[in-house]
Amino acid sequence: MARRSKRSISTFLVSALGMLCMLKAFVWVLETKVLNTPIEIPFLNYGIMIAVALLLIRVSFVLLKHKARKSKVDVQEIGNGATTPNDIGTFHCADCGKKVSEKVRSYCLERPNKFNNQVFCYEHQR
Ligand SMILES: [Zn+2]
């Protein structure tokens, strides 16, 4: 849902910019080829500038958000790598590296608010 609205904003900005550019080109053709007199449409230039600025802001915002999300995922992957090795069935405490049982692991993962999606041994759960 959020993703869709984000895309639609970008799409709207791109199409608005495209429309303004087309309008600009149309006016330019009109004034150079047809009328041979300069046509001053200040709002058109302002509109293009505003659309470009909004698009740049939008793009940088999306990029920043994407970057932030990616680094978050990286951290999570590192965290998971430390707690859940390839060997399925053995799990280690994120603090001391001690082996913990499947039961302890699911206990920790069921409480992400308390353990931040990490697995801790009995000793380090407090
Ligand atoms: Zn521990």
Side-chain angles (χ1 to χ4, degrees), residues 38-107:
I39 304 164
E40 281 299 321
I41 307 178
F43 86 87
L44 195 59
N45 292 328
Y46 287 135
I48 288 172
M49 274 194 280
I50 289 165
V52 168
L54 280 175
L55 196 65
L56 282 176
I57 290 165
R58 184 72 215 166
V59 165
S60 52
F61 182 73
V62 168
L63 283 177
L64 276 175
K65 218 170 172 186
H66 184 73
K67 219 170 167 182
R69 198 185 300 142
K70 206 182 161 194
S71 63
K72 212 172 172 182
V73 167
D74 283 348
V75 167
Q76 221 165 38
E77 270 170 7
I78 290 162
N80 286 344
T83 51
T84 53
N86 295 335
D87 184 8
I88 298 162
T90 53
F91 309 100
H92 297 269
C93 170
D95 202 355
C96 64
K98 211 162 85 182
K99 254 189 205 176
V100 297
S101 68
E102 166 77 71
K103 220 166 101 184
V104 173
R105 176 186 170 267
S106 43
Y107 173 83

Side-chain angles (χ1 to χ4, degrees), residues 7-53:
R7 186 168 294 163
S8 69
I9 291 169
S10 301
T11 312
F12 170 74
L13 283 173
V14 168
S15 51
L17 190 63
M19 250 166 67
L20 285 168
C21 285
M22 263 163 66
L23 207 64
K24 179 83 180 160
F26 175 72
V27 169
W28 179 79
V29 167
L30 209 67
E31 68 182 18
T32 52
K33 309 278 179 205
V34 184
L35 297 172
N36 282 324
T37 48
I39 304 164
E40 281 299 321
I41 307 178
F43 86 87
L44 195 59
N45 292 328
Y46 287 135
I48 288 172
M49 274 194 280
I50 289 165
V52 168

